[in-house]
Amino acid sequence: MQLWLCPLLAFLLGSIPFGLFIARMKGIDIRQHGSGNIGATNVLRVVGKKHGITCLILDALKGFIPTLLAITLIRFEGQNTAFTFHGLLDQGYVFPLADQWKAQTLHVVAGLCSILGHNYSPWVGFKGGKGIATSAGVLIALAPLVVPVLIVAWLLIFLISRYVSVASIGAAALLPFVVIYGSWRHGKLASGEWNKPLFIFSVVIAVLAIWKHRTNIKRLMEGTESRFERKKKAVS
């Protein structure tokens, strides 16, 4: 049951349009303002910083929680993970070590389902956000050491460009390289023990994230993309 239930729950949880709900609490239909996106960036611009951060956290959690649930309920012998729902370990299905790739594949499938649920939510006409926060939540569960590197990269690109979209695209493009470097750095690439499903997943979500930013890319080329300007200090 865990093998099909985890991806299904991941999609359903991922499809919850938190950005839409948060904006509606303020009497705003977020789809009619700013970029029309229900993600955290548009919520921040339209509704405010506090609400944007709340949306960011909730969108990340709906990627983290179902992925962690899959890691807990679908395991392989000798699996060593940073996080699990310890109270559910006895309910899990354990693959033999030789089939660890099957468990790893199901982990990333659950993560991908949560991202697809966010990007193409059935509750808002199969539309949604760009999946950056939800992808970050998934990666915290799958490969927690990757996330700080991507956050630093995102911040550096954002501080230089002042475009959220450019920072997100840059971090997404960097993801597969960070994953493969981590495998090489720990000697798993040479031994053949590296997590191949995770690398494939990193490529897929990188492409998906860039694809979801295609309208931003068009606006960047046209010079009409919204930019976060530095606040000028008042002259006394």
Side-chain angles (χ1 to χ4, degrees), residues 6 10 13 60-75 79 81-86 88-89 107 110-111 114 137-142 144:
C6 286
L13 184 57
L61 284 174
K62 69 185 188 182
F64 175 76
I65 291 173
T67 307
L68 187 63
L69 184 64
I71 291 171
T72 302
L73 295 179
I74 306 169
R75 305 192 305 278
Q79 178 176 322
T81 55
F83 310 108
T84 54
F85 290 116
H86 292 286
L88 296 176
L89 286 174
H107 297 163
S114 67
V138 173
L139 286 170
I140 290 172
L142 290 174

Side-chain angles (χ1 to χ4, degrees), residues 26-225:
K26 302 295 289 184
I28 298 170
D29 185 346
I30 195 67
R31 296 169 296 181
Q32 305 300 321
H33 298 271
S35 66
N37 192 277
I38 66 170
T41 301
N42 199 37
V43 172
L44 185 148
R45 282 199 184 102
V46 175
V47 189
K49 183 178 180 180
K50 179 178 69 174
H51 299 89
I53 293 173
T54 300
C55 183
L56 177 72
I57 293 171
L58 290 172
D59 282 349
L61 284 174
K62 69 185 188 182
F64 175 76
I65 291 173
T67 307
L68 187 63
L69 184 64
I71 291 171
T72 302
L73 295 179
I74 306 169
R75 305 192 305 278
F76 59 88
E77 293 176 352
Q79 178 176 322
N80 182 23
T81 55
F83 310 108
T84 54
F85 290 116
H86 292 286
L88 296 176
L89 286 174
D90 292 339
Q91 308 299 319
Y93 180 87
V94 182
F95 282 96
L97 183 59
D99 291 332
Q100 73 174 61
W101 66 272
K102 293 181 181 179
Q104 291 169 336
T105 298
L106 289 165
H107 297 163
V108 301
V109 166
L112 182 60
C113 283
S114 67
I115 296 167
L116 291 175
H118 174 76
N119 289 1
Y120 305 101
S121 173
W123 315 118
V124 287
F126 291 96
K127 295 179 181 179
K130 294 181 170 68
I132 299 301
T134 305
S135 297
V138 173
L139 286 170
I140 290 172
L142 290 174
L145 295 180
V146 168
V147 178
V149 177
L150 295 181
I151 290 174
V152 170
W154 190 96
L155 287 171
L156 286 174
I157 297 170
F158 174 72
L159 290 172
I160 293 170
S161 70
R162 309 302 295 182
Y163 288 109
V164 171
S165 57
V166 172
S168 299
I169 291 167
L174 188 63
L175 171 59
F177 297 98
V178 176
V179 169
I180 201 70
Y181 173 79
S183 296
W184 173 80
R185 181 72 175 78
H186 292 93
K188 293 185 177 181
L189 200 62
S191 66
E193 297 176 353
W194 58 296
N195 192 334
K196 300 175 185 67
L198 176 61
F199 175 69
I200 295 171
F201 171 76
S202 71
V203 173
V204 171
I205 64 170
V207 171
L208 183 63
I210 294 171
W211 169 253
K212 290 291 288 184
H213 280 86
R214 62 191 183 280
T215 55
N216 301 85
I217 295 171
K218 182 179 178 181
R219 289 195 295 268
L220 284 165
M221 294 175 68
E222 294 172 348
T224 58
E225 176 73 339

Side-chain angles (χ1 to χ4, degrees), residues 6-25:
C6 286
L8 176 61
L9 287 175
F11 182 84
L12 291 175
L13 184 57
S15 69
I16 300 173
F18 285 120
L20 183 65
F21 295 153
I22 290 170
R24 277 187 175 172
M25 290 173 64

